[in-house]
Amino acid sequence: EIVLTQSPGTLSLSPGERATLSCRATQSVADNYLAWHQQKPGQAPRLLIYGASSRATGIPDRFSGSGSGTDFTLTISRLEPEDFAVYHCQQYGSSPITFGQGTRLEIK
Amino acid sequence: QVQLQQWGAGLLKPSETLSLTCVVSGASFSGYYWTWIRQPPGKGLEWIGEINHSGSTNYNPSLKSRVTMSVDTSKNQFSLKLSSVTAADTAVYYCARRIDSWGQGTLVTVSS
């Protein structure tokens, strides 16, 4: 089973700043099948990025994903108030599919 | 645009069987894996397993002995059963299309 470790656990930033979230895997993610989801309180997660770097439909271009193998990054170039949420990475390249523990992005 | 609507019992007693169903609309049911994921209160996401339109399944080894998934292609529905539940199974359960579309979630509480 691939274990995903997200860092930091909590990130405190201000609107307008740049956010960099990390997701590290214990073994290489097949075909870079790595996704990022955003989750707001009381809501289901929403897909942001798939295939490590492809934005899902309707996702603003301030969200970008990068990385390969075992190290992946989600970058939000300029934080908007609605971006403060929990972010989950997910690998879907091998079974069992696994998630990271989440990074909470909070307003500083 | 694909939509997933789920339903099922929200309160169970220990040892009972959890049963949830999800109906898919707005997209083809074939060609995808349909997934169940859960999230205990205040915690992260856990993949339970997935099923495709022909009934082929993949389950999380940690839950495999208690999980059964089924599909009804005539109704564009798929279902989850989790047997012998305990308080540790208390969570919001989501249905999803592999990675890109999620149901609204169902809070299932296990309590005597």
Side-chain angles (χ1 to χ4, degrees), chain B residues 61-111:
Chain B
S62 68
L63 297 167
K64 187 174 184 177
S65 64
R66 298 192 291 130
V67 171
T68 302
M69 293 184 185
S70 60
V71 64
D72 184 341
T73 55
S74 68
K75 296 180 179 179
N76 277 12
Q77 291 179 359
F78 61 107
S79 298
L80 167 70
K81 291 189 185 298
L82 180 67
S83 63
S84 304
V85 297
T86 69
D89 295 311
T90 293
V92 176
Y93 287 75
Y94 294 101
C95 61
R97 184 174 74 174
R98 209 61 190 327
I99 67 165
D100 67 350
S101 302
W102 296 70
Q104 79 277 17
T106 299
L107 174 61
V108 177
T109 302
V110 181
S111 175

Side-chain angles (χ1 to χ4, degrees), chain B:
Chain B
Q1 181 177 348
V2 60
Q3 293 188 323
L4 293 91
Q5 182 75 26
Q6 60 185 100
W7 65 90
L11 181 60
L12 297 173
K13 290 182 167 53
S15 79
E16 292 185 334
T17 296
L18 177 156
S19 182
L20 297 172
T21 299
C22 186
V23 63
V24 178
S25 61
S28 171
F29 197 67
S30 301
Y32 294 96
Y33 270 92
W34 302 94
T35 302
W36 291 98
I37 293 159
R38 70 180 184 178
Q39 185 173 36
K43 296 188 177 181
L45 299 163
E46 180 181 29
W47 180 77
I48 299 171
E50 59 187 8
I51 187 168
N52 69 5
H53 70 282
S54 62
S56 178
T57 56
N58 295 303
Y59 296 149
N60 191 322
S62 68
L63 297 167
K64 187 174 184 177
S65 64
R66 298 192 291 130
V67 171
T68 302
M69 293 184 185
S70 60
V71 64
D72 184 341
T73 55
S74 68
K75 296 180 179 179
N76 277 12
Q77 291 179 359
F78 61 107
S79 298
L80 167 70
K81 291 189 185 298
L82 180 67
S83 63
S84 304
V85 297
T86 69
D89 295 311
T90 293
V92 176
Y93 287 75
Y94 294 101
C95 61
R97 184 174 74 174
R98 209 61 190 327
I99 67 165
D100 67 350
S101 302
W102 296 70
Q104 79 277 17
T106 299
L107 174 61
V108 177
T109 302
V110 181
S111 175
S112 56

